[in-house]
Amino acid sequence: MYELIKFSHLAAGIIWMGGMALMIWALRPVAIAQLEPAQRLPLLGGVLSRFFKMVVACIVVLLASGGIMLMGVDMALAPRGWHVMIGLGSLMCLIFGHLFFGPFRKMQAALAAGELPVAGAQLAKIHPLVLINFSLGWVAIGAVVIWR
């Protein structure tokens, strides 16, 4: 049972990290290079809307599976990397909550109202937060793997 829970935890992390990689290095740069704001902003808004639903599901799985795996573990004896992962993972969840309920919601409202400059300004606030989360994710992964 433990292995299935661990697999679920890893799968959720891979989906979240992989989606951020796709957005950062593939979709966003191509959309900026090839599409005008009137086409680019609704596209990115739609993609983020779908991706963020997946992220919410991943966060639920990560928190539930992580909590289950930590039950019965004496955290005083746990590897330092686990502590780092818990702290950074929690921070990533908070950053995601901020970008979802802040800039993303404002971007969606601006798109619905046809206010492209406002939507673009909100999207510009999302990008650095995703970069931070992506970096934190790699640090958390590194901590768990390296700091045993």
Side-chain angles (χ1 to χ4, degrees):
M1 184 64 158
Y2 178 83
E3 295 303 324
L4 181 60
I5 294 167
K6 186 175 180 180
F7 175 79
S8 300
H9 192 78
L10 291 171
I14 289 166
I15 291 168
W16 190 2
M17 291 292 290
M20 287 190 288
L22 175 74
M23 290 299 298
I24 293 166
W25 287 317
L27 182 59
R28 183 178 179 271
V30 172
I32 289 170
Q34 296 184 4
L35 300 173
E36 295 298 320
Q39 298 165 324
R40 177 175 65 239
L41 292 169
L43 170 69
L44 293 176
V47 170
L48 287 175
S49 180
R50 292 179 72 116
F51 176 57
F52 287 169
K53 289 175 186 168
M54 292 171 50
V55 171
V56 169
C58 288
I59 287 172
V60 168
V61 170
L62 286 163
L63 294 176
S65 60
I68 291 168
M69 288 189 293
L70 291 173
M71 288 173 49
V73 172
D74 181 355
M75 289 306 289
L77 301 176
R80 289 178 286 190
W82 289 18
H83 294 273
V84 172
M85 177 186 60
I86 292 165
L88 292 178
S90 298
L91 180 57
M92 289 175 69
C93 291
L94 292 171
I95 290 170
F96 175 75
H98 168 70
L99 76 85
F100 183 82
F101 291 109
F104 177 69
R105 287 271 172 103
K106 292 176 185 174
M107 182 187 78
Q108 293 294 82
L111 285 172
E115 299 171 346
L116 294 182
V118 174
Q122 294 305 313
L123 185 59
K125 292 177 183 178
I126 292 171
H127 181 67
L129 296 171
V130 173
L131 290 175
I132 291 167
N133 257 3
F134 189 68
S135 300
L136 291 174
W138 281 111
V139 173
I141 292 167
V144 168
V145 172
I146 296 166
W147 238 348
R148 293 186 165 255

